[in-house]
């Protein structure tokens, strides 16, 4: 539209502006450049138009790395230099884009000259930007002495900049190594102000600590209005580096590490950041020193138990310091070493302190969090530890009761809600998870970073209706991403924020290749295919309404980005128990494997349905039905597509079996939950699906041999070997109560596997039903033809007999499995039966921990969990009822 308008009015600045922004929306950088230059020629006095063209060339370099340094970046640089030589640079944005070009071309020395020249006077919006960019460029040039002194100056001017401390120490040890190796020419050590020995580093850090202490004690206002942590953490970081380098004197250069950590605790122990600071330096202490530190600091607080009585804290700061020590105890692994009785005793103490500490928050508003909420979080982790070690889910149940109680006191505490979501998911109750998730008011980008919190559970626990809602909301966000990011990019050009252009393009790329986006797309597609149809014609109509090409894999697995925020749940677990980085990597691999299986399954179903569907002319000729591949403009037979997809699915299943051997665990209260891959493999559902695909391919091949006049005997039909257990056997094995009594009467276990397996079996039955529907469409005309000819069974071709017998066998087995699964699902989830089972989860114990329960609150939780289980049963029963009608229509 704007292009046509431009042709009619080539001298219209307004139309050219609109055309440029239209190209920004679609990311056509070449056209952007052309339009921007046309604007510049139209209004040469307006510099922004010229630099729109320059930035468009830079983005072409970003898009095409092969031509970036040879063509695009040199061209952009010359265009800016032309304006510099003519003295026409006017704005800061124009200098910033020149610096971007020089850095992209690795011309760091020239960029330094710009920062030290007259052009730097235009860099006024961010006062610290020139200094930080200068030291960044010096680092890339490896001028370590200058880098070191520059970071010292930055630290002196901003003594709480932690990044500066880390870079200062890095440059110092590069200088130290250069001296120790006596490598000439590595660094220029003429600058005596550089700290090129450990002694100099120690002196500098000690000077910064003294300066901070003196400023606090002096009458003049300190440099910063809050206590600075940088110098104190800098000392600990120095010790950590020396210890990692195996320096024999690492624990002597600054004194006893235990004393330094205690000093840090004295200074910042009542700050929420103290735990995350000190956990980085746990390795500086031996196990005995850790225990000594915790014991001494607890005694120093003066709130230890005396004569069996717990001494309560008298102010909020004491509570915060005590919470820190409990968190460190857990991080040091002391809680893992406790016996069950001691764990429960500590949990009881934390509950008492939590209850008593609520008085300090009586004046807080409903949107504020209680000061003692961390006591509750630690208490829940202890109960979860006991539940895992004793294999008794009664402790999980009680943890949920306590969490719900604490949420009445802190209704906006996201940590409590996220922990409750995890525990409800572990016992298989999804509706409370969803309600808590909704109360978090997740918006915009959080659909990508936090959506996995419920998306991992909604289908696993069989809430199909809510799954539609969740996937729709998530996909609606991703659908709006392109428009939103386009608006941000347009604003960048309008207001000269050129450094942000690349950032927003990268942001859009991460969202377009998001793991969460790919998962929701695949699951929504499968859900739409299997959930609503009660006849094969309905399935055909649903798939015909989908814009999907089964030949093409829509997901670029190599470019997938894991945008999940795994740090959202606060954790005090020691690294030797859980490495969150490794856990996330394993989770990502498992998610991709499961996504690949789901994508291939959906594509197989779409191809199968189209293979068995009549053409528009009304004649059934599935082999001649073709889809067009836009890349090479060749027609491809659907049967060949299905054969290829079946092979890819078989290979994917083989690869996933290897991955499943090192599957994740859910023994921790962490936010990354496993996929359904493990249960899927255990039930052999992938191989079962391949077998029914083989039946479809054999049926289709036989039909086409009949049409081509071939002899049926020349076609061999050898179905793949069936799994040892039938579908009916699997459903019978799944008939278990929701709550099982184990170990006499001592333990209770919630059998969540019953729900998970039943949902997977129901999905599998739905998929098999659809493929059988395609088989029926193919075999129906053959059956009709045989009936007209009046052939008896003994006169039929043996291959044809095998095909029909296999089809009848599959149909009969699937019908039987539907009935068995409906019965297995309904028995343990009836109202009275389920309520009786959940009553058994209440713990009868003299420990105050289990007496401190509001019966009304527990009853409310029981009702929510019961309703969730029954919703699962109702949704799966509805799905199976539809598939039962579907299957009944497939009989000959």
């Amino acid at each position: 539209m704007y292009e046509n308008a431009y042709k009619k009015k080539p001298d219209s600045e307004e139309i050219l502006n609109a055309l440029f922004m239209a190209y920004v929306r679609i990311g056509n950088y070449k056209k952007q450049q052309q339009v921007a230059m046309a604007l510049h020629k139209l209004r040469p006095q307006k510099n922004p138009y010229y630099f729109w063209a320059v930035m468009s060339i830079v983005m072409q370099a970003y898009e095409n790395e092969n031509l970036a340094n040879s063509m695009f970046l040199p061209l952009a640089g010359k265009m800016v230099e032309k304006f510099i030589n003519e003295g026409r640079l006017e704005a800061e944005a124009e200098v910033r884009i020149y610096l971007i070009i020089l850095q992209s071309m690795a011309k760091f020395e020239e960029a330094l000259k710009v920062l030290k020249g007259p052009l730097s006077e235009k860099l006024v919006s961010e006062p610290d930007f020139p200094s930080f960019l200068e030291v960044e460029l010096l680092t890339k040039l490896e001028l370590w002495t200058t880098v070191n002194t520059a970071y010292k100056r930055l630290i002196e001017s901003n003594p709480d900049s932690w990044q500066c401390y880390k870079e200062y120490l890095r440059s110092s040890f590069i200088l130290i190594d250069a001296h120790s190796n006596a490598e000439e020419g590595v660094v220029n050590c003429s600058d005596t102000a550089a700290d090129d020995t450990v002694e100099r580093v120690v002196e500098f850090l000690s000077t910064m600590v003294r300066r901070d202490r003196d400023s606090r004690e002096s009458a003049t206002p300190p440099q910063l209005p809050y206590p600075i942590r940088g110098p104190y953490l800098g000392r600990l970081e120095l010790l950590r580096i020396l210890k990692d380098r195996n320096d024999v004197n690492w624990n002597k250069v600054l004194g006893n590490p235990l004393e330094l950590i205690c000093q840090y605790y004295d200074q910042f122990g009542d700050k929420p950041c103290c735990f995350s600071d000190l956990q980085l330096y746990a390795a500086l202490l031996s196990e005995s020193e850790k225990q000594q530190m915790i014991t001494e600091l607890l005694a120093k607080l003066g709130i230890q138990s005396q004569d069996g009585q717990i001494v309560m804290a008298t102010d909020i700061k004491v509570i915060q310091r005590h919470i820190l020590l409990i968190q460190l105890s857990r991080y040091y692994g002391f809680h893992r070493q406790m016996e069950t009785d001691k764990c429960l005793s500590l949990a009881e103490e934390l509950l008492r302190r939590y209850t008593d500490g609520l008085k300090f928050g009586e004046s807080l508003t409903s949107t504020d969090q209680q000061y003692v909420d961390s006591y509750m979080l630690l208490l829940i982790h202890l109960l979860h530890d006991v539940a895992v070690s004793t294999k008794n889910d009664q402790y999980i149940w009680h943890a949920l009761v306590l969490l719900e109680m604490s949420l009445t006191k802190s209704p906006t505490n996201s940590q409590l809600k996220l922990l409750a979501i995890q525990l409800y998911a572990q016992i298989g109750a999804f509706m409370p998870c969803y309600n808590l998730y909704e109360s978090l008011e997740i918006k915009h980008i959080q659909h990508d970073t936090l959506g996995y919190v419920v998306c991992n559970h909604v289908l696993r626990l069989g809430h199909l209706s809510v799954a539609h809602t969740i996937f729709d909301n998530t996909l609606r966000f991703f659908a709006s991403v392109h428009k939103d990011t386009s608006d941000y990019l347009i604003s960048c050009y309008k207001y000269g924020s050129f450094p942000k252009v690349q950032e927003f393009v990268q942001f859009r790329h991460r969202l377009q290749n998001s793991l969460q986006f790919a998962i929701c797309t695949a699951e929504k597609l499968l859900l739409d295919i299997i959930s609503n149809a009660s006849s094969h014609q309905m399935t055909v109509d649903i798939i015909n309404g989908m814009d999907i090409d089964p030949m093409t894999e829509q997901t670029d697995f190599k470019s997938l980005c894991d945008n999940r925020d795994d740090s959202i749940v606060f954790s005090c677990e020691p690294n030797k128990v859980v490495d969150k980085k490794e856990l996330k990597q394993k989770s990502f691999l498992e998610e991709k494997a499961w996504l690949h299986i789901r994508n291939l399954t959906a594509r197989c179903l779409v191809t199968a349905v189209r293979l068995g569907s009549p053409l528009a002319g009304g004649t059934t000729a599935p082999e001649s039905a073709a889809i067009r591949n836009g890349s090479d403009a060749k027609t491809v037979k659907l049967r060949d597509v299905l054969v290829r997809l079946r092979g890819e699915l078989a290979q994917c299943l083989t690869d996933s079996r290897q991955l499943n051997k090192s599957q994740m665990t859910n023994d921790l209260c962490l936010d990354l939950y496993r996929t359904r891959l493990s249960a899927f493999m255990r039930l052999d559902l992938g191989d079962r699906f391949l077998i029914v695909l083989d039946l479809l391919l054999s049926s289709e091949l036989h039909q086409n041999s009949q049409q081509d006049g071939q002899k049926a005997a020349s076609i061999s039909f050898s179905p793949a070997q069936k799994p040892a257990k039938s579908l009916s056997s699997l459903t019978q094995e799944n008939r278990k109560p929701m709550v099982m009594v184990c170990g006499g009467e001592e333990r209770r276990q919630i059998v969540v596997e019953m729900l998970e397996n039943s949902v997977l079996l129901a999905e599998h039955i739905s998929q098999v039903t659809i493929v059988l529907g395609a088989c029926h469409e193919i075999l129906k005309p053959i059956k009709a033809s045989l009936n007209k000819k009046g052939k008896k069974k003994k006169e039929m071709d043996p291959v044809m007999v095998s095909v029909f017998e296999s089809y009848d066998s599959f149909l009969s087995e699937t019908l039987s499995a539907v009935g068995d699964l409906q019965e297995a699902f309904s028995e343990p989830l009836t109202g009275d039966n389920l309520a009786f089972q959940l009553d058994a989860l209440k713990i009868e114990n003299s420990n105050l921990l289990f007496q401190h329960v509001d019966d009304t609150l527990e009853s409310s939780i029981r009702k929510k969990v019961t309703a969730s289980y029954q919703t699962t049963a109702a949704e799966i029963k509805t799905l199976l009822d539809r598939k039962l009608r579907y299957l009944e229509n497939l009989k000959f």
Side-chain angles (χ1 to χ4, degrees):
M1 180 178 70
Y2 290 117
E3 288 176 340
N4 293 333
Y6 170 60
K7 291 176 183 178
K8 292 182 178 180
K9 289 188 176 182
D11 59 346
S12 172
E13 182 181 4
E14 183 180 355
I15 291 175
L16 279 172
N17 255 300
L19 181 58
F20 178 83
M21 297 310 172
Y23 286 133
V24 169
R25 289 185 183 279
I26 63 175
N28 192 329
Y29 304 124
K30 178 65 176 177
K31 291 288 187 179
Q32 284 179 210
Q33 175 192 349
Q34 294 172 353
V35 174
M37 289 306 296
L39 277 166
H40 174 63
K41 291 177 181 178
L42 188 65
R43 296 288 185 270
Q45 72 278 11
K46 291 187 176 181
N47 276 17
Y49 294 150
Y50 185 80
F51 284 92
W52 285 5
V54 173
M55 191 64 209
S56 298
I57 296 171
V58 172
M59 292 309 296
Q60 290 179 67
Y62 173 79
E63 190 177 48
N64 189 342
E65 294 181 359
N66 295 329
L67 296 176
N69 288 314
S70 61
M71 185 172 76
F72 292 120
L73 292 174
L75 173 60
K78 288 179 180 178
M79 289 177 68
V80 179
E81 288 167 3
K82 176 187 175 184
F83 263 49
I84 294 174
N85 296 333
E86 295 174 0
R88 296 175 60 185
L89 248 63
E90 298 174 351
E92 178 179 357
E94 298 164 5
V95 179
R96 294 284 287 267
I97 197 173
Y98 187 45
L99 290 170
I100 290 173
I101 294 167
L102 293 176
Q103 290 180 82
S104 299
M105 297 174 69
K107 294 184 176 181
F108 305 123
E109 292 181 356
E110 292 185 27
L112 275 173
K113 291 178 182 178
V114 172
L115 288 176
K116 294 178 180 179
L119 291 177
S120 63
E121 297 175 1
K122 299 183 184 298
L123 302 173
V124 294
S125 64
E126 300 177 47
D128 293 333
F129 171 75
S131 300
F132 280 98
L133 180 58
E134 179 184 353
V135 75
E136 181 182 332
L137 294 171
L138 289 169
T139 301
K140 289 178 179 178
L141 289 169
E142 299 185 356
L143 301 174
W144 297 114
T145 53
T146 312
V147 169
N148 188 266
T149 53
Y151 273 118
K152 285 175 67 177
R153 289 194 299 271
L154 288 173
I155 289 172
E156 288 170 348
S157 61
N158 188 2
D160 209 28
S161 176
W162 178 233
Q163 186 62 31
C164 290
Y165 281 96
K166 291 199 296 183
E167 292 299 324
Y168 160 73
L169 290 170
R170 174 171 169 255
S171 62
S172 294
F173 277 98
I174 289 175
L175 292 171
I176 291 169
D177 289 340
H179 280 295
S180 63
N181 294 330
E183 293 179 358
E184 295 183 3
V186 175
V187 290
N188 178 12
C189 299
S190 60
D191 190 346
T192 57
D195 292 341
D196 51 7
T197 65
V198 174
E199 291 76 14
R200 284 188 174 187
V201 175
V202 170
E203 177 59 31
F204 176 70
L205 293 175
S206 300
T207 300
M208 294 304 300
V209 170
R210 286 195 301 270
R211 184 179 299 176
D212 176 62
R213 288 175 178 169
D214 293 343
S215 67
R216 298 293 158 193
E217 295 172 359
S218 66
T220 58
Q223 186 175 357
L224 294 173
Y226 52 85
I228 61 173
R229 296 146 51 213
Y232 302 92
L233 284 175
R235 296 191 302 180
L236 295 174
E237 181 69 9
L238 172 60
L239 294 185
R240 185 194 65 78
I241 294 173
L242 289 172
K243 187 175 187 297
D244 290 345
R245 291 162 61 93
N246 298 316
D247 191 306
V248 293
N249 297 316
W250 72 270
N251 57 350
K252 299 176 182 177
V253 294
L254 277 165
N256 189 343
L258 177 59
E259 293 180 2
L260 293 179
I261 290 177
C262 288
Q263 289 175 18
Y264 191 83
Y265 169 83
D266 291 340
Q267 190 90 344
F268 306 102
D270 56 345
K271 308 297 181 186
C273 60
C274 194
F275 171 74
S276 57
D277 289 343
L278 291 183
Q279 71 177 146
L280 300 174
Y281 305 107
L284 298 180
L285 303 178
S286 64
E287 292 301 312
S288 60
E289 286 177 323
K290 292 174 184 175
Q291 188 65 64
Q292 176 188 346
M293 184 189 78
I294 297 296
T295 303
E296 291 179 357
L297 293 179
L298 280 173
K300 189 175 179 181
L301 279 179
I303 58 172
Q304 288 182 300
S305 302
Q306 297 179 1
D307 300 328
Q309 298 295 319
I310 299 176
V311 179
M312 298 299 176
T314 55
D315 61 54
I316 297 170
K317 288 191 175 182
V318 173
I319 288 175
Q320 297 299 333
R321 288 180 180 276
H322 184 251
I323 287 172
L324 169 63
L325 294 177
I326 302 298
Q327 289 172 338
L328 287 174
S329 296
R330 184 167 186 82
Y331 186 73
Y332 292 157
F334 298 154
H335 291 178
R336 294 269 169 178
Q337 301 167 10
M338 288 182 178
E339 297 178 354
T340 299
D341 291 342
K342 290 186 177 179
C343 266
L344 293 176
S345 296
L346 177 57
E348 180 185 354
E349 178 187 341
L350 295 182
L351 179 59
R352 288 177 182 269
R353 294 190 183 280
Y354 171 82
T355 306
D356 180 77
L358 290 174
K359 64 187 178 186
F360 295 108
E362 290 176 351
S363 61
L364 295 175
T365 65
S366 60
T367 56
D368 291 327
Q369 299 179 11
Q370 292 291 335
Y371 300 112
V372 289
D373 280 347
S374 293
Y375 277 137
M376 182 58 66
L377 293 172
L378 290 162
L379 160 60
I380 300 305
H381 280 279
L382 284 169
L383 286 178
H384 189 272
D385 291 346
V386 174
V388 171
S389 62
T390 62
K391 297 182 179 180
N392 189 348
D393 286 338
Q394 289 174 290
Y395 296 106
I396 298 290
W397 182 262
H398 196 74
L400 282 168
V401 175
L402 292 174
L403 272 173
E404 292 285 5
M405 178 193 73
S406 60
L407 281 170
T408 63
K409 307 295 183 182
S410 291
T412 60
N413 190 316
S414 60
Q415 291 296 318
L416 294 173
K417 291 180 181 180
L418 289 167
L419 200 50
I421 288 173
Q422 294 302 307
L423 296 185
Y424 274 122
Q426 286 188 27
I427 67 170
F430 179 76
M431 281 312 297
C433 297
Y434 183 62
N435 293 333
L436 287 165
Y437 181 78
E438 286 288 285
S439 70
L440 289 171
E441 298 182 359
I442 299 299
K443 292 181 177 66
H444 204 255
I445 190 65
Q446 292 174 320
H447 285 294
D448 186 29
T449 58
L450 300 181
Y452 70 92
V453 172
V454 291
C455 285
N456 281 16
H457 305 298
V458 61
L459 285 178
R460 177 177 74 89
L461 301 175
H463 286 251
L464 307 185
S465 299
V466 179
H468 278 290
T469 303
I470 291 174
F471 295 148
D472 284 340
N473 290 339
T474 303
L475 294 176
R476 195 177 299 117
F477 157 69
F478 283 106
S480 68
V481 161
H482 188 85
K483 176 185 179 301
D484 292 343
T485 51
S486 296
D487 292 341
Y488 304 150
L489 286 168
I490 287 172
S491 297
C492 289
Y493 282 101
K494 280 184 176 180
Y495 302 110
S497 301
F498 296 120
K500 299 298 180 185
V501 172
Q502 288 183 343
E503 293 181 22
F504 280 122
V505 170
Q506 291 168 358
F507 174 70
R508 179 162 63 186
H509 179 268
R510 284 190 68 88
L511 289 178
Q512 289 172 342
N513 292 280
S514 165
L515 173 67
Q516 183 69 12
F517 179 34
I519 289 173
C520 289
T521 302
E523 296 293 0
K524 179 69 165 57
L525 177 62
L526 270 174
L527 193 59
D528 288 342
I529 292 173
I530 70 170
S531 60
N532 294 321
S534 58
S535 69
H536 192 68
Q537 185 56 49
M538 290 179 67
T539 302
V540 172
D541 293 341
I542 289 170
I543 288 179
N544 286 341
M546 292 179 173
D547 182 18
I548 177 172
D549 178 5
M551 280 191 60
T552 307
E553 173 59 74
Q554 299 297 326
T555 303
D556 183 359
F557 285 90
K558 293 182 179 179
S559 301
L560 274 182
C561 299
D562 190 357
N563 300 332
R564 297 174 297 171
D565 184 0
D566 63 326
S567 63
I568 187 65
V569 175
F570 181 75
S571 173
C572 304
E573 301 298 334
N575 286 336
K576 60 184 177 182
V577 174
V578 54
D579 184 339
K580 294 202 75 172
K581 185 177 180 180
E582 181 184 357
L583 179 68
K584 186 174 182 180
Q585 185 178 9
K586 284 184 177 180
S587 172
F588 185 43
L589 291 174
E590 186 174 316
E591 291 282 0
K592 287 202 295 184
W594 180 241
L595 172 62
H596 201 183
I597 291 173
R598 303 293 277 179
N599 274 351
L600 287 170
T601 301
R603 292 165 65 194
C604 284
L605 289 174
V606 170
T607 308
V609 170
R610 291 179 180 173
L611 187 63
S613 299
L615 294 175
T619 59
T620 305
E623 179 145 332
S624 64
I627 54 180
R628 181 162 297 276
N629 182 348
S631 61
D632 56 10
K634 294 180 181 178
T635 56
V636 182
K637 294 178 180 178
L638 281 170
R639 184 182 189 283
D640 295 337
V641 174
L642 187 57
V643 169
R644 193 192 77 190
L645 291 175
R646 185 221 178 274
E648 290 181 12
L649 180 57
Q651 183 60 48
C652 183
L653 291 170
T654 301
D655 297 340
S656 298
R657 285 188 189 95
Q658 297 298 321
L659 177 66
N660 193 45
K661 292 179 181 178
S662 59
Q663 64 181 7
M664 298 162 53
T665 178
N666 289 317
D667 288 347
L668 299 163
C669 286
L670 296 172
D671 48 340
L672 293 179
Y673 204 86
R674 59 178 172 77
T675 67
R676 296 187 288 168
L677 180 64
S678 176
F680 181 82
M681 292 296 180
R682 188 173 61 252
L683 297 171
D684 276 334
L685 298 183
D687 291 336
R688 295 174 191 276
F689 186 67
L690 292 178
I691 292 171
V692 76
L693 288 179
D694 289 341
L695 172 63
L696 173 63
L697 290 168
S698 298
S699 303
E700 192 271 345
L701 183 62
H702 179 78
Q703 183 219 31
N704 281 283
S705 71
Q706 295 291 90
Q707 291 178 348
D708 296 339
Q710 299 177 10
K711 292 184 178 180
S714 66
I715 303 171
S716 61
F717 171 65
S718 53
Q721 185 177 358
K722 291 186 178 181
K725 296 180 181 179
S726 66
L727 269 179
S728 296
S729 299
L730 290 177
T731 55
Q732 291 292 337
E733 290 178 1
N734 208 41
R735 297 180 68 169
K736 298 176 182 178
M738 275 304 301
V739 181
M740 293 182 64
V741 179
C742 308
E745 292 292 325
E746 297 179 0
R747 295 187 290 113
R748 305 286 189 276
Q749 282 189 311
I750 300 175
V751 190
V752 183
E753 291 78 10
M754 190 274 287
L755 289 178
E756 294 181 11
N757 293 345
S758 296
V759 173
L760 276 172
L761 287 168
E763 284 186 9
H764 175 70
I765 287 171
S766 301
Q767 295 163 9
V768 168
T769 299
I770 291 171
V771 179
L772 288 176
C775 291
H776 182 267
E777 292 296 310
I778 291 173
L779 295 176
K780 183 166 61 175
I782 299 176
K783 185 71 172 179
S785 175
L786 292 174
N787 289 338
K788 285 181 181 179
K789 294 177 181 179
K791 286 188 177 181
K792 296 180 181 179
K793 186 173 181 179
K794 63 181 180 180
E795 299 174 357
M796 292 172 60
D797 177 53
V799 177
M800 189 189 312
V801 172
S802 177
V803 170
F804 277 100
E805 286 181 350
S806 296
Y807 174 80
D808 291 338
S809 174
F810 268 109
L811 184 61
S812 176
E813 181 186 12
T814 308
L815 278 167
S816 176
V818 170
D820 292 339
L821 188 56
Q822 284 180 319
E823 186 178 352
F825 225 114
S826 60
E827 283 183 10
L829 297 178
T830 55
D832 294 339
N833 189 9
L834 185 57
F836 175 76
Q837 295 178 67
L838 295 179
D839 280 339
L841 291 172
K842 187 172 182 179
I843 299 177
E844 302 294 340
N845 195 299
S846 59
N847 191 317
L848 178 67
L849 185 66
F850 307 108
Q851 295 176 350
H852 196 87
V853 173
D854 186 340
D855 291 337
T856 304
L857 184 61
E858 186 178 28
S859 175
S860 172
I861 295 171
R862 189 185 302 111
K863 288 179 181 177
K864 288 194 291 187
V865 173
T866 300
S868 181
Y869 290 158
Q870 291 178 338
T871 299
T872 300
E875 298 237 13
I876 298 303
K877 185 178 183 302
T878 301
L879 176 66
L880 292 174
D881 285 341
R882 288 174 180 153
K883 295 306 172 277
L884 187 61
R885 295 195 297 273
Y886 198 139
L887 290 165
E888 290 290 346
N889 293 327
L890 301 183
K891 293 180 179 179
F892 286 117

